[in-house]
């Protein structure tokens, strides 16, 4: 029997989805539901893994807070890529970024903390609130504000808020934020009690320009931390490694929490991360170009069909308004039965996603082309529907 705390947590949508038996129509299944990059881990990384496995130091417990070499690599990467100067006190190694996103409030805050979450936003943010027995505060992301939070309209809500989650490029919206937004956000909150956690999982996918780090707007690290994933940009989702950087007090809370709950990331995995970051200048542009090509194809194809996609600006997901006679969940079922297309309903991302579906670009071009052809067969469903 699970504990009361575990039983109180919201169901994990993606866990249940990955274990669910899929019933499709007559066509071959197109799985566009999960955002796992479809490329192979680059050779420069796997070669490092092969050599690292034979190193005796990697067969024993390593430093609880990670190898100095990896933290140095992170510091070089952030300086080179974002112009941000990190010190060791500003870095925490994570067992995959989900661990950091979900556990941070538990490590840093007390029960009752007010946590403002984007709506729509990543489905597992709510677990972070529930684990710390905090209060979830709604942060609407609206088209008329380019899917950025309107803090001027949230004056009362901010009085109850201690921590804000941001995520750009956005999962599920494909929206982005520029440096001006981050500058303004840091200026607004830098002398307040409110801190910011920026989920930077899709940093590699800015498409039109390099996506800015929030830390470039917070050079003294007074206000924010940023959580960076190696899964997406480097095709390393199975390696389960990422890192948090920024405000020293917030980072120390993560490190102290992990001192008690873990015994250090596998040394070989850390060596793989070093290889990835040290070769990021060649690897990330290649990954970005693949997804930029897919993004441009999908944006144009679906818009030409009259299907109301939110134009993808960053990240690896598309966001579609469903026809008026459906909601997101019923339309996911319809697509499965009629077109053998598996997508994700918008409701796990917040109630503002109720009438939307999310699909992934993390499939090869042939699958995307087939997806477009099948959507063409049902484009008439949107003919009398409202726009986004």
């Amino acid at each position: 029997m699970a504990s009361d705390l575990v039983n109180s947590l919201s169901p994990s949508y993606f866990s249940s989805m990955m274990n669910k038996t899929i019933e499709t129509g007559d066509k071959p299944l197109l799985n566009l539901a999960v955002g796992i990059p479809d490329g192979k881990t680059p050779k420069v990384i796997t070669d490092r893994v092969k050599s690292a496995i034979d190193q005796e130091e990697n067969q024993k417990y390593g430093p609880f807070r990670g190898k100095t070499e990896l933290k140095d690599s992170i510091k070089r990467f952030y300086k080179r890529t974002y112009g941000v100067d990190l010190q060791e006190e500003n870095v925490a190694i994570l067992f995959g970024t989900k661990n950091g996103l979900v556990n941070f409030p538990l490590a840093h805050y007390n029960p009752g903390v007010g946590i403002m979450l984007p709506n729509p936003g990543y489905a597992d943010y709510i677990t972070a609130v529930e684990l710390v027995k905090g209060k979830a505060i709604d942060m609407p992301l609206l088209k008329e504000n380019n899917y950025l939070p309107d803090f001027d309209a949230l004056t009362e809500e901010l009085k109850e808020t201690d921590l804000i989650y941001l995520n750009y490029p956005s999962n599920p919206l494909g929206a982005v934020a520029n440096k001006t937004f981050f500058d303004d956000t840091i200026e607004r909150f830098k002398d307040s009690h409110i801190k910011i956690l920026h989920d930077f999982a899709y940093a590699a996918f800015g498409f039109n320009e390099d996506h800015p780090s929030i830390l470039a707007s917070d050079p003294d690290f007074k206000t924010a931390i940023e959580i960076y994933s190696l899964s997406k940009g480097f095709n390393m989702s199975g390696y389960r490694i990422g890192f948090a950087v920024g405000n020293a007090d917030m980072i120390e809370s993560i490190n102290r929490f992990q001192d008690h709950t873990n015994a250090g990331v596998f040394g070989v995995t850390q060596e793989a991360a070093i290889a990835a970051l040290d070769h990021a200048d060649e690897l990330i542009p290649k990954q970005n170009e693949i997804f930029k090509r897919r993004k441009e194809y999908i944006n144009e194809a679906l818009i030409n069909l009259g299907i109301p996609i939110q134009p993808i600006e960053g990240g690896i997901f598309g966001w579609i308004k469903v026809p008026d006679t459906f909601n997101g969940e019923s339309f996911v079922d319809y697509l499965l039965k009629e077109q053998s297309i598996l997508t994700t309903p918008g409701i796990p991302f917040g109630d503002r996603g109720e009438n939307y579906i999310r699909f992934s670009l993390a499939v090869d071009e042939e699958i995307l082309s087939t997806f477009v052809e099948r959507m063409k067969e049902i484009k008439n469903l949107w003919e009398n529907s409202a726009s986004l």
Side-chain angles (χ1 to χ4, degrees), residues 155 218 224 239 250 288 328:
T155 304
D218 187 24
Y239 290 68
M250 297 164 79
N288 188 54

Side-chain angles (χ1 to χ4, degrees), residues 9-63:
L9 299 178
S10 298
S12 173
Y13 176 80
F14 293 106
S15 174
S16 61
M17 183 183 70
M18 292 183 76
N19 293 313
K20 184 178 179 181
T21 300
I22 303 298
E23 297 181 8
T24 69
D26 297 332
K27 300 175 181 178
L29 176 66
L30 303 181
N31 187 347
L32 281 78
V34 181
I36 301 173
D38 54 307
K40 293 182 179 179
T41 304
K43 186 175 184 297
V44 69
I45 300 173
T46 57
D47 282 349
R48 185 70 161 263
V49 170
K50 292 170 186 175
S51 62
I53 197 73
D54 289 326
Q55 295 173 12
E56 189 173 348
E57 68 176 85
N58 292 325
Q59 299 164 13
K60 297 178 170 62
Y61 287 126

Side-chain angles (χ1 to χ4, degrees), residues 64-66 70 74 91-104 197 225-230 239-245 251 254-255 257-258 262 264-266 269-270 273:
F64 271 37
R65 298 190 176 192
L70 175 53
I74 292 167
V91 181
I93 310 302
L94 300 173
F95 296 73
T97 54
K98 179 176 176 177
N99 278 19
L101 293 168
V102 170
N103 289 330
F104 173 71
L197 184 155
I225 60 170
E226 190 157 72
I227 292 186
Y228 191 100
S229 172
L230 279 80
Y239 290 68
R240 307 314 306 140
I241 188 165
F243 55 86
V245 287
I251 293 297
I254 295 172
N255 279 324
F257 182 87
Q258 294 188 152
N262 299 290
V265 174
F266 183 32
T269 304
Q270 294 188 62

Side-chain angles (χ1 to χ4, degrees), residues 94-141:
L94 300 173
F95 296 73
T97 54
K98 179 176 176 177
N99 278 19
L101 293 168
V102 170
N103 289 330
F104 173 71
L106 187 61
H108 194 69
Y109 290 101
N110 295 317
V113 59
I115 303 177
M116 185 171 280
L117 302 179
N119 183 2
Y122 178 50
D124 286 327
Y125 293 154
I126 189 61
T127 303
V129 181
E130 293 170 345
L131 282 173
V132 73
K133 296 186 179 296
K135 178 180 181 181
I137 300 169
D138 190 55
M139 184 172 71
L141 302 183

